[in-house]
Amino acid sequence: MTCTNKLKKTIGILCALCLIISLSACSDEDATYEIYDNSRGYNIIEGQSTAENNLFAADLCVTNGDNMGVDKVDSQVAGSAILANRETDEIKYSQNVFDRMYPASTTKILTAYVCVKYANLDDKVTVSENACNQTKDSSVCGLKPGDRISYRDLLYGLLLRSGNDAAIAIAEGMYGSVEEFAKVMNKEAVLCGATHSHFVNSNGLHNENHYTTVYDMYLLFEKALDNKIIYDIVTTTDYDVAYTDANGNPVQQKWYNTNLYLTNQVRIPNGVTILGGKTGTTNPAGYCLVLLSRNTSNQEIISIVFNADSRNNLYYLMNQILETFAN
């Protein structure tokens, strides 16, 4: 689905109007939106359209939500999926892209975006007992109460190791609680255009009120990748971290990426170079993967599969989608 310049401008105006309406409808005083002032900023008020507009969707892939390409792959093994070309602004594969899905740990993409946007990454966080209070089967970085670690290092634990303890430490360090951090997540999601999402925590552990769509996740990942720090982290295979424990003693760990492509544990799709991404798994969410890759034309591709019925089928379907639609 190609976005022509004319179509981009039209859709961009509609997206801007939808964004204005969404924000102006919020009851939170911090979300107050001056509709006419901002409409002038986008040159969408009558008589104000002489300048070139910097429209919201100008560099994004857009879709009407119709399924495309699902008959060419084994789409039945997952709930929804998408493939978008970052260079041509085309969506080449679309499967239930507006259906509500649980994002599991792919939530941490937005957590990282909020952290990079608002925190001083060299500041140190004291890890709380609450952050370390995770179930035995939870994905963690192995942090302990009283550990002193920088936001920058926590980001690696968040995005590589998928540490739920790191996610809570970031939230508590920045805003005092996960609940307050989630309020910022929701505001930032709307600003990214992800208007069909709602987040209640920073790690993606299951909650019925914590949801998104694959198209919203595409928008969030697209925005996050514009930040070089996040781009560099999600394309990293492993990371050596050093911090101090509660007694000031040095601690060293090595964190590995949970993306099986980057650890050579699954077959790399033909004609594609895998760059990085973020995994996510819970029982209600199924197996999820947000992926960045490059095709044979050196174009970057974002592909997402949500709610796969097994880890094997997650990578199996992702390979099918990439091999069929990436080039």
Side-chain angles (χ1 to χ4, degrees), residues 116-160:
V116 169
K117 186 171 182 179
Y118 292 110
N120 181 338
L121 300 187
D122 294 322
D123 284 352
K124 298 290 181 67
V125 177
T126 299
V127 179
S128 72
E129 186 172 344
N130 179 57
C132 300
N133 185 23
Q134 303 292 322
T135 60
K136 290 183 178 180
D137 59 348
S138 184
S139 177
V140 295
C141 295
L143 300 174
K144 305 297 183 184
D147 285 347
R148 292 279 293 166
I149 185 170
S150 70
Y151 285 111
R152 190 181 304 277
D153 286 335
L154 284 171
L155 284 171
Y156 280 91
L158 180 80
L159 294 174
L160 267 65

Coordinates of all heavy atoms in Angstrom, one line a residue, residues 116-160:
V116 N 14.5 7.6 27.9 CA 15.5 8.4 27.2 C 15.0 9.8 27.0 O 15.8 10.8 27.0 CB 15.7 7.7 25.8 CG1 16.5 8.6 24.9 CG2 16.4 6.4 26.0
K117 N 13.7 10.1 26.9 CA 13.2 11.4 26.6 C 13.3 12.3 27.9 O 13.6 13.5 27.8 CB 11.7 11.3 26.1 CG 11.2 12.7 25.7 CD 9.8 12.5 25.1 CE 9.3 13.9 24.6 NZ 8.0 13.8 23.9
Y118 N 13.1 11.7 29.0 CA 12.9 12.5 30.2 C 14.0 12.4 31.3 O 14.1 13.2 32.2 CB 11.5 12.3 30.8 CG 10.4 12.8 30.0 CD1 9.6 11.9 29.3 CD2 10.2 14.2 29.8 CE1 8.5 12.4 28.5 CE2 9.2 14.6 29.0 CZ 8.4 13.8 28.3 OH 7.3 14.2 27.5
A119 N 14.8 11.3 31.3 CA 15.7 11.0 32.3 C 17.1 11.5 31.9 O 17.5 11.5 30.7 CB 15.7 9.6 32.7
N120 N 17.9 11.9 32.9 CA 19.4 12.0 32.7 C 20.0 10.6 32.8 O 20.0 10.0 33.9 CB 20.0 12.9 33.7 CG 21.5 13.1 33.5 OD1 22.1 12.3 32.9 ND2 22.0 14.2 34.1
L121 N 20.4 10.0 31.7 CA 20.8 8.6 31.7 C 22.0 8.3 32.5 O 22.2 7.1 32.8 CB 21.0 8.2 30.2 CG 19.8 8.3 29.3 CD1 20.1 7.7 27.9 CD2 18.5 7.7 29.9
D122 N 22.8 9.3 32.9 CA 23.9 9.0 33.7 C 23.6 9.1 35.2 O 24.4 8.7 36.1 CB 25.1 10.0 33.4 CG 25.6 9.7 32.0 OD1 25.7 8.6 31.6 OD2 25.9 10.7 31.3
D123 N 22.4 9.5 35.6 CA 21.9 9.5 37.0 C 21.8 8.1 37.5 O 21.5 7.1 36.7 CB 20.6 10.2 37.1 CG 20.7 11.7 37.1 OD1 21.9 12.2 37.1 OD2 19.7 12.4 37.0
K124 N 22.1 7.9 38.8 CA 22.0 6.5 39.3 C 20.6 6.3 40.0 O 20.1 7.3 40.6 CB 23.1 6.4 40.4 CG 24.5 6.4 39.8 CD 24.8 5.2 38.9 CE 26.2 5.3 38.3 NZ 27.3 5.2 39.4
V125 N 20.2 5.1 40.0 CA 18.9 4.7 40.6 C 19.2 3.7 41.7 O 20.1 2.8 41.5 CB 18.0 4.0 39.6 CG1 16.7 3.6 40.3 CG2 17.6 5.0 38.5
T126 N 18.6 3.9 42.9 CA 18.7 2.8 43.9 C 17.5 1.9 43.7 O 16.4 2.2 43.8 CB 18.6 3.5 45.3 OG1 19.7 4.4 45.5 CG2 18.7 2.4 46.4
V127 N 17.9 0.6 43.5 CA 16.8 -0.4 43.2 C 16.1 -0.7 44.4 O 16.7 -1.0 45.5 CB 17.5 -1.6 42.6 CG1 16.4 -2.7 42.3 CG2 18.3 -1.3 41.3
S128 N 14.7 -0.7 44.4 CA 13.9 -1.0 45.5 C 13.6 -2.5 45.7 O 13.8 -3.3 44.8 CB 12.6 -0.3 45.4 OG 11.8 -0.9 44.4
E129 N 13.2 -2.8 46.9 CA 12.7 -4.2 47.1 C 11.6 -4.6 46.2 O 11.4 -5.7 45.7 CB 12.4 -4.4 48.6 CG 12.1 -5.8 49.0 CD 11.9 -6.0 50.5 OE1 12.3 -5.1 51.2 OE2 11.3 -7.1 50.8
N130 N 10.7 -3.6 46.0 CA 9.5 -3.8 45.1 C 9.9 -4.2 43.7 O 9.4 -5.1 43.1 CB 8.6 -2.6 45.1 CG 7.4 -2.7 44.2 OD1 6.6 -3.7 44.4 ND2 7.3 -1.9 43.2
A131 N 11.0 -3.5 43.2 CA 11.4 -3.8 41.8 C 12.0 -5.2 41.7 O 11.9 -5.9 40.7 CB 12.5 -2.8 41.4
C132 N 12.5 -5.7 42.8 CA 13.1 -7.1 42.8 C 12.2 -8.2 43.2 O 12.5 -9.4 43.1 CB 14.3 -7.1 43.8 SG 15.6 -5.9 43.4
N133 N 11.0 -7.8 43.6 CA 10.0 -8.7 44.0 C 9.2 -9.3 42.8 O 8.1 -9.0 42.5 CB 9.0 -8.1 45.0 CG 8.0 -9.1 45.6 OD1 8.2 -10.3 45.7 ND2 6.8 -8.5 46.0
Q134 N 9.9 -10.2 42.1 CA 9.4 -10.8 40.9 C 9.2 -12.3 41.1 O 9.9 -12.9 41.9 CB 10.4 -10.6 39.7 CG 10.7 -9.1 39.4 CD 9.5 -8.4 38.9 OE1 8.7 -8.9 38.1 NE2 9.3 -7.1 39.3
T135 N 8.2 -12.9 40.4 CA 8.0 -14.3 40.5 C 9.2 -15.1 39.9 O 10.0 -14.5 39.1 CB 6.7 -14.7 39.7 OG1 6.9 -14.3 38.3 CG2 5.5 -14.0 40.3
K136 N 9.3 -16.3 40.2 CA 10.5 -17.1 39.8 C 10.5 -17.3 38.3 O 11.6 -17.4 37.7 CB 10.4 -18.5 40.5 CG 10.7 -18.5 42.0 CD 10.7 -19.9 42.5 CE 11.0 -19.9 44.0 NZ 11.0 -21.3 44.6
D137 N 9.4 -17.3 37.6 CA 9.4 -17.4 36.2 C 9.5 -16.1 35.4 O 9.4 -16.0 34.2 CB 8.2 -18.2 35.7 CG 6.9 -17.6 36.1 OD1 6.9 -16.6 36.9 OD2 5.8 -18.0 35.5
S138 N 9.6 -15.0 36.2 CA 9.7 -13.7 35.6 C 11.0 -13.4 34.9 O 12.1 -13.9 35.4 CB 9.4 -12.6 36.6 OG 9.3 -11.3 36.0
S139 N 11.0 -12.7 33.8 CA 12.3 -12.3 33.2 C 12.9 -11.1 33.9 O 12.3 -10.1 34.1 CB 12.0 -11.9 31.7 OG 13.1 -11.4 31.1
V140 N 14.1 -11.4 34.5 CA 14.7 -10.3 35.3 C 16.2 -10.2 34.9 O 16.8 -11.0 34.3 CB 14.6 -10.7 36.8 CG1 13.2 -10.7 37.3 CG2 15.3 -12.0 37.1
C141 N 16.8 -9.1 35.4 CA 18.2 -8.8 35.2 C 19.1 -9.3 36.4 O 20.3 -9.3 36.3 CB 18.4 -7.3 35.1 SG 17.7 -6.6 33.6
G142 N 18.4 -9.7 37.4 CA 19.2 -10.2 38.6 C 19.6 -9.1 39.5 O 20.5 -9.2 40.3
L143 N 18.8 -8.0 39.5 CA 19.1 -6.8 40.4 C 18.7 -7.2 41.8 O 17.8 -8.0 42.0 CB 18.4 -5.6 39.9 CG 18.7 -5.1 38.5 CD1 17.8 -3.9 38.1 CD2 20.2 -4.7 38.4
K144 N 19.3 -6.5 42.8 CA 19.1 -6.8 44.2 C 18.7 -5.4 44.9 O 19.1 -4.4 44.4 CB 20.3 -7.4 44.9 CG 20.8 -8.6 44.3 CD 19.9 -9.8 44.4 CE 20.5 -11.0 43.8 NZ 19.5 -12.1 43.7
P145 N 17.9 -5.5 45.9 CA 17.5 -4.3 46.7 C 18.8 -3.5 47.1 O 19.7 -4.1 47.6 CB 16.7 -4.8 47.9 CG 16.2 -6.1 47.4 CD 17.2 -6.7 46.5
G146 N 18.8 -2.2 46.9 CA 19.9 -1.4 47.2 C 21.0 -1.2 46.2 O 21.9 -0.4 46.3
D147 N 20.9 -2.0 45.1 CA 21.8 -1.8 44.0 C 21.8 -0.4 43.5 O 20.7 0.2 43.4 CB 21.5 -2.8 42.9 CG 22.0 -4.2 43.1 OD1 22.7 -4.4 44.1 OD2 21.5 -5.1 42.4
R148 N 22.9 0.2 43.1 CA 23.0 1.5 42.5 C 23.4 1.3 41.1 O 24.5 0.9 40.8 CB 24.0 2.4 43.3 CG 23.5 2.7 44.7 CD 22.6 3.9 44.7 NE 23.2 5.1 44.3 CZ 22.5 6.2 43.9 NH1 21.2 6.3 43.9 NH2 23.2 7.3 43.6
I149 N 22.6 1.8 40.1 CA 22.8 1.5 38.7 C 22.3 2.7 37.9 O 21.3 3.3 38.3 CB 22.2 0.2 38.3 CG1 22.5 -0.1 36.8 CG2 20.7 0.2 38.5 CD1 22.1 -1.5 36.4
S150 N 22.9 3.0 36.8 CA 22.5 4.2 36.0 C 21.3 3.8 35.2 O 21.0 2.7 34.8 CB 23.6 4.7 35.1 OG 23.9 3.7 34.1
Y151 N 20.5 4.9 34.8 CA 19.4 4.7 33.8 C 19.9 4.1 32.5 O 19.3 3.2 31.9 CB 18.7 6.0 33.5 CG 17.8 6.5 34.6 CD1 18.2 7.6 35.4 CD2 16.6 5.8 34.9 CE1 17.3 8.1 36.4 CE2 15.8 6.3 36.0 CZ 16.2 7.4 36.7 OH 15.4 7.8 37.7
R152 N 21.1 4.5 32.1 CA 21.7 4.0 30.8 C 21.9 2.5 30.9 O 21.5 1.7 30.0 CB 23.0 4.7 30.5 CG 23.5 4.4 29.1 CD 24.9 5.1 28.9 NE 24.8 6.6 29.2 CZ 24.4 7.4 28.3 NH1 24.0 7.0 27.1 NH2 24.3 8.7 28.6
D153 N 22.4 2.0 32.0 CA 22.6 0.6 32.1 C 21.3 -0.2 32.3 O 21.1 -1.3 31.8 CB 23.5 0.3 33.3 CG 25.0 0.6 33.1 OD1 25.4 0.6 31.9 OD2 25.7 0.9 34.0
L154 N 20.3 0.5 33.0 CA 19.0 -0.2 33.1 C 18.3 -0.3 31.8 O 17.6 -1.3 31.6 CB 18.1 0.7 34.0 CG 18.4 0.6 35.5 CD1 17.6 1.7 36.3 CD2 18.1 -0.8 36.1
L155 N 18.6 0.6 30.9 CA 18.0 0.5 29.5 C 18.5 -0.8 28.8 O 17.7 -1.5 28.1 CB 18.3 1.7 28.7 CG 17.5 3.0 29.0 CD1 18.1 4.1 28.2 CD2 16.1 2.8 28.6
Y156 N 19.8 -1.1 29.0 CA 20.3 -2.4 28.4 C 19.6 -3.6 29.1 O 19.2 -4.6 28.4 CB 21.8 -2.5 28.6 CG 22.5 -1.6 27.5 CD1 22.9 -0.3 27.8 CD2 22.9 -2.2 26.3 CE1 23.5 0.4 26.8 CE2 23.5 -1.4 25.3 CZ 23.9 -0.1 25.6 OH 24.5 0.6 24.6
G157 N 19.4 -3.5 30.4 CA 18.8 -4.6 31.1 C 17.3 -4.7 30.6 O 16.7 -5.8 30.6
L158 N 16.7 -3.6 30.4 CA 15.3 -3.5 29.9 C 15.1 -4.1 28.6 O 14.2 -5.0 28.4 CB 14.9 -2.1 30.0 CG 13.4 -1.8 29.5 CD1 12.5 -2.0 30.7 CD2 13.3 -0.3 29.1
L159 N 15.9 -3.7 27.6 CA 15.7 -4.0 26.2 C 16.4 -5.3 25.7 O 16.0 -6.0 24.8 CB 16.1 -2.9 25.3 CG 15.2 -1.6 25.5 CD1 15.8 -0.5 24.6 CD2 13.8 -1.9 25.1
L160 N 17.5 -5.6 26.4 CA 18.3 -6.9 26.0 C 17.7 -8.1 26.8 O 17.2 -9.0 26.3 CB 19.8 -6.7 26.2 CG 20.6 -6.3 25.0 CD1 20.1 -4.9 24.5 CD2 22.1 -6.3 25.2

